[in-house]
Amino acid sequence: MFMRVLNKWIQKEPSKNAITILKDRYFLKDGEGNYLESTWDEVAKRIARHVAAAEVNYTNDVEEIKNAEEHFYQLIKSRIFLPNSPTIFNAGKTMDRQLFKKDIEETTLEDYKTIFDSRTKHNMLSACFVIPMDDSMNAIFDAVKNAALIMKYGGGVGYDFSVLRPKGSSIAGTGGKSSGPISFMHVFNTAASTIEQGGARRAAQMAVLRYDHPDVFDFINSKKDNKGNNVLNYFNISVNIDNPKEFKKMLEEDGDLTLEHPASSIRKTIKANDLMNKMVENAWKTGDPGMLFLGRHNQYYAMSEHTPVTATNPCGEEPLPPFGSCNLGSIDVAKLVEDMDLGNPNSDDISEFQEIIYWAVRFLDDVIESNIYPLKEIEEISKKQRFIGLGMMGLADALYIKELPYNSEQARKFMAKLTAELAYFSHIASTELAKERGNFQDFQRSKYPDGFIPFPMLDDEIDEDIKAWNEKIRQHFQGEATKYKRNVQTNTIAPTGSISNLADTSSGIEPNFLLSYVRYMTNKEGDRVPLSYINPILMEKIGTNMTEELKAEIIEKGSIQNIDSIPNEIKKIFVTSMDIPPKDHLLAQHVIQSYLDASCSKTINMPKSSTIEDVKAIYLQALELNLKGLTIYRDGSLETQVLTSASKE
Ligand code: ADP
């Protein structure tokens, strides 16, 4: 078992910050609000045991189940791998605590069966859902109810509003006129705000509308007065441009676009450039709308001919068909890079990383069985296709450790190789599991038997190692993968907004937003005390040269680029989101997305001084790369921003 890295991390306790988050959100409580847990160890054991119990479906050999539990426990306890939040706070919930307190040696097959059989609606473990609606009142309000059930247990929901007829269309039966998709988005938003009060965490939703829907301008404008949290605040919005290359051509030719809808006689002709300009202008103002390229999602989705994806989850990383769900998990690559030569196809450590990925994939596949689904339709398609999303976090910190500037060609090659390696071993693991447990039910109808590769890959010429990964990937998909595949999709890179804090690492594939910040904590006496944080890898790098004065300056600025006493070599490596030109954010997304069968969460950060033209340049460039969508954020464009450095507070 991957002993070397495990031994290093398993003893390391989560930071104060991580413990605070655990207390706030993840430790189980009884009905009166008393804590049932107080350590990370208990949480790790609870998750590992609940999920391993799913293996009673495959074996009667208790040693085999214990072996799985032990691997899951070690991965989670060491925080080398963490599942998405709903798995952390809902696994084992409302079950008999004694079953989770037993030592693993004393745990019996009956105990695992009891855990499996005592699952209730409280044990919803997935983060991502897509809920469909039809163009009828009944169906719309059914969707509101279904989404409410999901959000109550901490899942995020996406919807395609394109099916709703445009505002002003006739309604048969009443003689009235439809109020259009945007009016219904407000209904979903209000429902989300109500659920939040009793739910596990802030509700989150994604609304998608096709670029040729007659209400597309209303959609694009629906959040234009947002100043942070005041308009459709439980929604991200994205315009679906099915074919980005075709759209680019239309823009270059200054072509016309017809807006129409099958359920309406409304038809409008507009200039494609007017649509683009409006999207860009509003994105410059508030970050919304983003773009989504569902055609490309479907191109790389093995079941698109039967159940095309119609929307994504709230943060955009998980495209799903109607009623689709996905559970995510992330490997903290920053914890591995010192000891493993990640991304190198000829490395001696390759089998250790492969083993970590195998157990992470097996864990996520077990989550599909140990999950309780909010609706039978969701359970059905989730089990037929078995979506899982293994991704990574800690990329920015890993690059600091490897001394590769995030915005360099060298870093991009590393990102590509690392993601290729993740994708390759995840798919190998899914194929191994299929041999033991069977293919996903729809496998024969999917594109896999034809040798389908579920992502575009980068050009072979770029680098010898990339060429080697591409070759391995081709061999896999033309060979064993034509017969065995347990999961329709395997790789998703989540924002890891909360779990990266639990892991004390940088989030997802994003650069660090700040190298330092001040957080206010309330002490026992009820006083607010400032807690300052400086990135520990930077602290180590500066070493004994870190004076109190320098610390204060770093905390003040959040970035080191304008600090004279710090050498240039260090400045180059320790870059933050705002230190990097937007184009380099985009290229990072491009290389990483080239190896993902699902997608990734990535924000293209832009400086406050960016003009509308600068935003447009990014929107246009995005249409040409291997991207599945685009989200930009111009610094300071919303009044409420997640993090600001001390000087900006
Ligand atoms: P975490 O770190 O808590 O596991 P992420 O920030 O990685 O979560 O988000 C992953 C996905 O989880 C999102 O894309 C979304 O589908 C869902 N999600 C995130 N935050 C929320 C929230 N507050 N409410 C509901 N779903 C959420």
Side-chain angles (χ1 to χ4, degrees):
M1 210 197 288
F2 30 91
M3 290 312 289
R4 243 170 0 130
V5 278
L6 265 185
N7 286 342
K8 178 164 161 187
W9 292 103
I10 207 153
Q11 304 302 340
K12 217 172 170 108
E13 284 302 320
S15 68
K16 257 192 193 165
N17 184 19
I19 295 286
T20 308
I21 296 169
L22 281 170
K23 274 193 193 152
D24 268 3
R25 236 184 271 176
Y26 297 95
F27 286 150
L28 285 189
K29 292 181 187 161
D30 65 16
E32 272 92 55
N34 305 309
Y35 284 110
L36 297 168
E37 290 171 329
S38 59
T39 63
W40 175 239
D41 190 64
E42 289 170 285
V43 178
K45 194 166 164 184
R46 164 168 61 83
I47 303 167
R49 189 158 293 175
H50 176 121
V51 173
E55 304 218 354
V56 298
N57 288 314
Y58 309 118
T59 181
N60 277 326
D61 179 357
V62 72
E63 292 310 317
E64 216 178 298
I65 304 175
K66 286 183 184 179
N67 183 39
E69 179 186 324
E70 190 60 24
H71 279 88
F72 298 165
Y73 166 78
Q74 306 228 15
L75 278 179
I76 296 167
K77 174 73 197 327
S78 64
R79 296 175 293 154
I80 287 172
F81 163 84
L82 290 181
N84 55 210
S85 284
T87 304
I88 308 180
F89 52 62
N90 291 335
K93 203 171 179 178
T94 70
M95 291 180 181
D96 178 2
R97 288 294 301 149
Q98 295 313 316
L99 289 168
F100 293 89
K101 287 191 170 157
K102 273 191 178 179
D103 280 344
I104 192 162
E105 291 78 29
E106 292 161 20
T107 308
T108 63
L109 186 62
E110 276 316 304
D111 292 332
Y112 286 114
K113 285 187 173 161
T114 308
I115 290 173
F116 190 75
D117 292 339
S118 60
R119 291 169 305 132
T120 65
K121 63 181 183 188
H122 298 288
N123 306 118
M124 205 283 293
L125 307 181
S126 298
C128 311
F129 297 83
V130 163
I131 290 291
M133 61 189 97
D134 284 341
D135 188 26
S136 74
M137 261 320 173
N138 242 340
I140 295 169
F141 282 87
D142 274 352
V144 173
K145 185 187 87 186
N146 293 340
L149 291 174
I150 293 168
M151 288 189 279
K152 182 173 167 194
Y153 296 107
V157 195
Y159 322 85
D160 176 20
F161 280 92
S162 313
V163 290
L164 304 190
R165 76 193 71 183
K167 186 171 74 183
S169 311
S170 312
I171 304 172
T174 65
K177 301 273 184 214
S178 165
S179 53
I182 288 75
S183 69
F184 289 108
M185 280 166 60
H186 288 276
V187 175
F188 282 85
N189 198 66
T190 307
S193 79
T194 314
I195 293 145
E196 169 176 311
Q197 291 152 24
R201 56 174 169 170
R202 191 175 193 280
Q205 303 174 102
M206 167 68 88
V208 177
L209 198 81
R210 285 183 60 87
Y211 72 129
D212 55 3
H213 188 289
D215 288 357
V216 69
F217 282 95
D218 287 352
F219 182 74
I220 291 171
N221 286 330
S222 67
K223 291 195 73 172
K224 86 173 178 357
D225 297 323
N226 182 30
K227 293 198 166 56
N229 233 343
N230 54 329
V231 184
L232 290 172
N233 50 335
Y234 295 94
F235 268 112
N236 290 322
I237 63 169
S238 254
V239 175
N240 169 27
I241 295 162
D242 248 327
N243 185 335
K245 290 218 164 117
E246 202 180 276
F247 186 63
K248 180 88 191 286
K249 197 157 161 256
M250 212 185 267
L251 295 174
E252 282 162 0
E253 292 167 356
D254 197 21
D256 288 343
L257 177 65
T258 305
L259 309 183
E260 56 192 338
H261 190 277
S264 172
S265 56
I266 294 174
R267 241 176 108 92
K268 303 173 193 168
T269 301
I270 60 149
K271 284 270 175 230
N273 271 310
D274 289 344
L275 180 74
M276 185 63 158
N277 290 340
K278 198 69 202 169
M279 282 202 293
V280 165
E281 185 190 321
N282 288 354
W284 176 87
K285 244 188 237 162
T286 69
D288 276 310
M291 289 194 288
L292 188 62
F293 309 140
L294 283 178
R296 207 168 268 160
H297 279 286
N298 278 313
Q299 183 183 349
Y300 294 107
Y301 166 46
M303 287 296 294
S304 64
E305 285 154 21
H306 307 279
T307 55
V309 300
T310 53
T312 69
N313 68 326
C315 305
E317 71 274 17
E318 186 59 38
L320 288 167
F323 292 118
S325 81
C326 185
N327 69 90
L328 313 177
S330 306
I331 293 176
D332 180 7
V333 290
K335 291 198 170 66
L336 306 180
V337 281
E338 253 175 23
D339 303 292
M340 289 182 180
D341 189 10
L342 298 185
N344 176 358
N346 309 309
S347 148
D348 296 337
D349 320 308
I350 213 161
S351 60
E352 275 186 275
F353 193 42
Q354 178 170 7
E355 203 181 347
I356 291 174
I357 293 173
Y358 171 80
W359 285 103
V361 167
R362 181 155 159 175
F363 176 93
L364 297 174
D365 191 63
D366 281 349
V367 169
I368 296 172
E369 297 302 314
S370 51
N371 204 354
I372 291 287
Y373 296 86
L375 291 170
K376 70 173 186 336
E377 292 91 335
I378 297 178
E379 175 159 15
E380 200 173 300
I381 189 162
S382 303
K383 288 192 169 163
K384 268 188 174 166
Q385 300 194 22
R386 311 189 71 86
F387 298 87
I388 58 169
L390 179 61
M392 63 171 110
M393 53 185 165
L395 175 67
D397 281 357
L399 292 171
Y400 290 166
I401 296 168
K402 288 182 73 75
E403 306 196 335
L404 295 174
Y406 189 98
N407 51 331
S408 66
E409 193 56 33
Q410 241 186 326
R412 284 194 282 273
K413 283 187 179 168
F414 172 69
M415 294 174 198
K417 291 188 271 186
L418 176 60
T419 320
E421 183 171 22
L422 175 75
Y424 176 66
F425 285 129
S426 306
H427 272 280
I428 294 271
S430 179
T431 290
E432 289 310 309
L433 286 176
K435 289 182 192 166
E436 295 163 25
R437 303 174 168 185
N439 286 327
F440 67 90
Q441 262 182 49
D442 279 337
F443 176 80
Q444 278 310 331
R445 296 204 298 155
S446 79
K447 300 175 192 169
Y448 286 123
D450 301 329
F452 165 72
I453 304 179
F455 38 78
M457 304 205 287
L458 284 180
D459 189 343
D460 281 357
E461 307 293 310
I462 289 179
D463 177 287
E464 278 304 308
D465 288 349
I466 288 179
K467 191 173 177 175
W469 285 119
N470 287 358
E471 194 44 41
K472 281 174 191 279
I473 289 167
R474 282 193 200 102
Q475 271 181 19
H476 172 69
F477 285 103
Q478 282 157 15
E480 285 210 304
T482 61
K483 295 201 186 74
Y484 304 103
K485 197 57 69 193
R486 180 73 175 156
N487 311 89
V488 69
Q489 284 180 345
T490 61
N491 297 116
T492 307
I493 301 182
T496 71
S498 307
I499 62 168
S500 62
N501 284 314
L502 290 186
D504 293 307
T505 195
S506 60
S507 33
I509 50 168
E510 295 290 3
N512 279 291
F513 195 75
L514 293 167
L515 279 167
S516 59
Y517 50 80
V518 181
R519 211 170 239 164
Y520 289 87
M521 304 270 231
T522 309
N523 67 12
K524 277 191 215 127
E525 287 75 40
D527 301 325
R528 264 163 57 86
V529 282
L531 264 188
S532 59
Y533 162 93
I534 298 185
N535 184 284
I537 306 159
L538 177 67
M539 287 288 278
E540 201 174 301
K541 184 76 193 169
I542 296 183
T544 50
N545 293 333
M546 183 65 92
T547 59
E548 285 306 312
E549 241 179 346
L550 182 54
K551 257 193 196 170
E553 196 174 358
I554 297 175
I555 290 169
E556 166 77 11
K557 295 190 163 140
S559 156
I560 57 172
Q561 299 306 313
N562 297 321
I563 301 182
D564 294 340
S565 61
I566 294 182
N568 274 338
E569 312 88 80
I570 298 187
K571 284 184 183 166
K572 262 194 204 160
I573 296 162
F574 287 86
V575 286
T576 66
S577 307
M578 289 302 171
D579 300 332
I580 297 173
K583 183 177 103 310
D584 287 313
H585 281 280
L586 206 61
L587 291 176
Q589 186 181 339
H590 164 74
V591 298
I592 290 170
Q593 214 147 53
S594 298
Y595 292 94
L596 293 175
D597 51 12
S599 192
C600 59
S601 163
K602 176 85 191 81
T603 302
I604 310 303
N605 288 99
M606 303 190 70
K608 190 168 188 169
S609 58
S610 308
T611 61
I612 293 182
E613 279 310 307
D614 296 334
V615 175
K616 186 165 181 181
I618 291 291
Y619 267 63
L620 288 175
Q621 200 180 354
L623 297 172
E624 294 202 320
L625 300 173
N626 284 350
L627 308 188
K628 288 178 170 169
L630 179 75
T631 303
I632 70 125
Y633 181 71
R634 188 173 61 90
D635 188 28
S637 57
L638 295 181
E639 280 165 10
T640 34
Q641 201 158 297
V642 186
L643 281 173
T644 41
S645 67
S647 62
K648 291 177 192 159
E649 261 182 334

Short mmCIF file of all heavy atoms in Angstrom, two decimals, residues 26 83-86 127-128 154-156 201-204 313-317 328 494-500, ligand 1:
data_model
loop_
_atom_site.label_atom_id
_atom_site.label_comp_id
_atom_site.label_asym_id
_atom_site.label_seq_id
_atom_site.Cartn_x
_atom_site.Cartn_y
_atom_site.Cartn_z
N TYR A 26 -19.09 19.81 9.47
CA TYR A 26 -18.96 18.39 9.15
C TYR A 26 -19.11 17.41 10.31
O TYR A 26 -19.47 16.27 10.09
CB TYR A 26 -17.63 18.13 8.44
CG TYR A 26 -17.50 18.84 7.11
CD1 TYR A 26 -16.87 20.08 7.01
CD2 TYR A 26 -18.03 18.27 5.96
CE1 TYR A 26 -16.75 20.73 5.79
CE2 TYR A 26 -17.91 18.90 4.74
CZ TYR A 26 -17.28 20.14 4.65
OH TYR A 26 -17.17 20.77 3.45
N PRO A 83 -13.59 13.05 -0.50
CA PRO A 83 -14.82 13.07 -1.31
C PRO A 83 -15.48 14.44 -1.20
O PRO A 83 -15.10 15.25 -0.36
CB PRO A 83 -15.68 12.01 -0.63
CG PRO A 83 -15.19 11.91 0.77
CD PRO A 83 -13.74 12.32 0.76
N ASN A 84 -16.50 14.68 -2.05
CA ASN A 84 -17.21 15.96 -1.99
C ASN A 84 -17.97 16.10 -0.66
O ASN A 84 -18.28 15.12 0.01
CB ASN A 84 -18.11 16.17 -3.20
CG ASN A 84 -19.12 15.08 -3.47
OD1 ASN A 84 -19.49 14.83 -4.61
ND2 ASN A 84 -19.61 14.41 -2.43
N SER A 85 -18.27 17.36 -0.34
CA SER A 85 -18.86 17.66 0.98
C SER A 85 -20.06 16.78 1.37
O SER A 85 -20.10 16.29 2.50
CB SER A 85 -19.27 19.12 1.07
OG SER A 85 -18.14 19.90 1.26
N PRO A 86 -21.04 16.57 0.48
CA PRO A 86 -22.19 15.77 0.95
C PRO A 86 -21.77 14.39 1.47
O PRO A 86 -22.37 13.88 2.43
CB PRO A 86 -23.08 15.66 -0.30
CG PRO A 86 -22.77 16.91 -1.07
CD PRO A 86 -21.29 17.13 -0.87
N ALA A 127 -22.72 15.51 -5.01
CA ALA A 127 -22.72 16.98 -5.06
C ALA A 127 -23.45 17.53 -6.29
O ALA A 127 -23.85 18.68 -6.31
CB ALA A 127 -21.29 17.51 -5.05
N CYS A 128 -23.58 16.69 -7.35
CA CYS A 128 -23.98 17.26 -8.63
C CYS A 128 -25.23 16.59 -9.20
O CYS A 128 -25.27 15.35 -9.30
CB CYS A 128 -22.88 17.07 -9.67
SG CYS A 128 -21.28 17.56 -9.08
N GLY A 154 -27.74 19.17 0.52
CA GLY A 154 -26.42 19.72 0.18
C GLY A 154 -25.96 19.47 -1.24
O GLY A 154 -24.78 19.67 -1.54
N GLY A 155 -26.83 19.04 -2.13
CA GLY A 155 -26.43 18.85 -3.54
C GLY A 155 -26.68 20.12 -4.34
O GLY A 155 -27.56 20.92 -4.00
N GLY A 156 -25.93 20.29 -5.43
CA GLY A 156 -26.13 21.43 -6.32
C GLY A 156 -26.88 20.96 -7.57
O GLY A 156 -26.70 19.83 -8.01
N ARG A 201 -26.25 23.40 3.60
CA ARG A 201 -25.39 24.53 3.25
C ARG A 201 -26.10 25.42 2.24
O ARG A 201 -27.20 25.10 1.79
CB ARG A 201 -24.06 24.05 2.69
CG ARG A 201 -24.19 23.13 1.48
CD ARG A 201 -22.81 22.84 0.94
NE ARG A 201 -22.79 21.79 -0.04
CZ ARG A 201 -21.72 21.52 -0.77
NH1 ARG A 201 -20.62 22.20 -0.60
NH2 ARG A 201 -21.75 20.55 -1.65
N ARG A 202 -25.46 26.50 1.88
CA ARG A 202 -26.04 27.45 0.96
C ARG A 202 -26.46 26.71 -0.31
O ARG A 202 -25.70 25.88 -0.82
CB ARG A 202 -24.99 28.51 0.62
CG ARG A 202 -25.56 29.68 -0.13
CD ARG A 202 -24.51 30.76 -0.34
NE ARG A 202 -25.17 31.99 -0.79
CZ ARG A 202 -25.56 32.21 -2.02
NH1 ARG A 202 -25.36 31.31 -2.96
NH2 ARG A 202 -26.18 33.33 -2.35
N ALA A 203 -27.64 26.99 -0.81
CA ALA A 203 -28.09 26.30 -2.02
C ALA A 203 -27.36 26.87 -3.24
O ALA A 203 -26.97 28.04 -3.23
CB ALA A 203 -29.59 26.47 -2.17
N ALA A 204 -27.15 26.02 -4.26
CA ALA A 204 -26.45 26.49 -5.46
C ALA A 204 -27.09 25.88 -6.70
O ALA A 204 -27.40 24.69 -6.70
CB ALA A 204 -24.98 26.11 -5.38
N ASN A 313 -23.81 20.99 -13.40
CA ASN A 313 -24.05 21.35 -11.99
C ASN A 313 -23.69 22.84 -11.79
O ASN A 313 -23.17 23.47 -12.71
CB ASN A 313 -23.22 20.42 -11.11
CG ASN A 313 -21.74 20.68 -11.28
OD1 ASN A 313 -21.30 21.02 -12.37
ND2 ASN A 313 -20.98 20.55 -10.23
N PRO A 314 -23.91 23.39 -10.60
CA PRO A 314 -23.75 24.84 -10.41
C PRO A 314 -22.39 25.41 -10.76
O PRO A 314 -22.29 26.54 -11.24
CB PRO A 314 -24.04 25.02 -8.92
CG PRO A 314 -24.95 23.90 -8.58
CD PRO A 314 -24.52 22.75 -9.42
N CYS A 315 -21.34 24.70 -10.50
CA CYS A 315 -20.02 25.32 -10.79
C CYS A 315 -19.48 24.94 -12.14
O CYS A 315 -18.36 25.30 -12.52
CB CYS A 315 -19.06 24.99 -9.67
SG CYS A 315 -19.70 25.45 -8.05
N GLY A 316 -20.24 24.17 -12.93
CA GLY A 316 -19.91 23.96 -14.34
C GLY A 316 -19.00 22.79 -14.66
O GLY A 316 -18.73 22.53 -15.82
N GLU A 317 -18.55 22.07 -13.63
CA GLU A 317 -17.56 21.02 -13.92
C GLU A 317 -18.17 19.68 -14.30
O GLU A 317 -17.46 18.78 -14.72
CB GLU A 317 -16.59 20.85 -12.73
CG GLU A 317 -17.16 20.21 -11.47
CD GLU A 317 -17.85 21.21 -10.54
OE1 GLU A 317 -18.16 22.32 -10.99
OE2 GLU A 317 -18.06 20.86 -9.36
N LEU A 328 -18.24 13.32 -6.47
CA LEU A 328 -16.89 13.76 -6.80
C LEU A 328 -15.91 13.42 -5.68
O LEU A 328 -16.28 13.24 -4.52
CB LEU A 328 -16.87 15.29 -7.00
CG LEU A 328 -17.94 15.92 -7.87
CD1 LEU A 328 -17.79 17.44 -7.87
CD2 LEU A 328 -17.86 15.38 -9.29
N ALA A 494 -13.39 19.60 -9.48
CA ALA A 494 -14.33 20.46 -8.75
C ALA A 494 -13.60 21.70 -8.24
O ALA A 494 -12.38 21.73 -8.17
CB ALA A 494 -14.91 19.67 -7.58
N PRO A 495 -14.39 22.70 -7.84
CA PRO A 495 -13.73 23.86 -7.22
C PRO A 495 -13.06 23.51 -5.89
O PRO A 495 -12.11 24.16 -5.48
CB PRO A 495 -14.88 24.84 -7.00
CG PRO A 495 -16.13 24.21 -7.46
CD PRO A 495 -15.83 22.87 -8.02
N THR A 496 -13.56 22.50 -5.22
CA THR A 496 -13.09 22.07 -3.89
C THR A 496 -13.05 23.25 -2.90
O THR A 496 -12.14 23.35 -2.08
CB THR A 496 -11.70 21.36 -3.93
OG1 THR A 496 -10.66 22.32 -4.22
CG2 THR A 496 -11.66 20.27 -4.97
N GLY A 497 -14.09 24.08 -3.00
CA GLY A 497 -14.18 25.28 -2.16
C GLY A 497 -14.04 24.98 -0.68
O GLY A 497 -13.33 25.70 0.04
N SER A 498 -14.71 23.95 -0.20
CA SER A 498 -14.60 23.63 1.22
C SER A 498 -13.56 22.55 1.48
O SER A 498 -12.77 22.65 2.42
CB SER A 498 -15.93 23.11 1.76
OG SER A 498 -16.94 24.01 1.46
N ILE A 499 -13.55 21.52 0.65
CA ILE A 499 -12.67 20.39 1.00
C ILE A 499 -11.19 20.75 0.88
O ILE A 499 -10.35 20.17 1.57
CB ILE A 499 -13.01 19.10 0.22
CG1 ILE A 499 -12.83 19.26 -1.27
CG2 ILE A 499 -14.39 18.59 0.58
CD1 ILE A 499 -12.87 17.93 -2.03
N SER A 500 -10.84 21.72 0.03
CA SER A 500 -9.42 22.11 -0.02
C SER A 500 -9.01 22.77 1.29
O SER A 500 -7.87 22.67 1.72
CB SER A 500 -9.13 23.03 -1.21
OG SER A 500 -9.85 24.24 -1.08
P1 ADP B 1 -16.89 20.96 -1.68
O1 ADP B 1 -15.51 21.51 -1.54
O2 ADP B 1 -17.80 21.45 -0.58
O3 ADP B 1 -16.96 19.48 -1.82
P2 ADP B 1 -17.01 22.22 -4.31
O4 ADP B 1 -16.69 23.66 -4.03
O5 ADP B 1 -15.94 21.37 -4.87
O6 ADP B 1 -17.59 21.56 -2.98
O7 ADP B 1 -18.26 22.15 -5.27
C1 ADP B 1 -18.56 20.95 -5.94
C2 ADP B 1 -19.98 20.93 -6.35
O8 ADP B 1 -20.79 20.79 -5.19
C3 ADP B 1 -20.52 22.19 -7.01
O9 ADP B 1 -20.24 22.32 -8.34
C4 ADP B 1 -21.99 22.00 -6.75
O10 ADP B 1 -22.57 21.06 -7.63
C5 ADP B 1 -21.98 21.49 -5.36
N1 ADP B 1 -22.00 22.59 -4.40
C6 ADP B 1 -21.00 23.37 -4.01
N2 ADP B 1 -21.37 24.27 -3.10
C7 ADP B 1 -22.66 24.03 -2.91
C8 ADP B 1 -23.64 24.59 -2.10
N3 ADP B 1 -23.37 25.59 -1.28
N4 ADP B 1 -24.87 24.09 -2.19
C9 ADP B 1 -25.16 23.09 -2.98
N5 ADP B 1 -24.27 22.50 -3.77
C10 ADP B 1 -23.05 22.95 -3.74
#
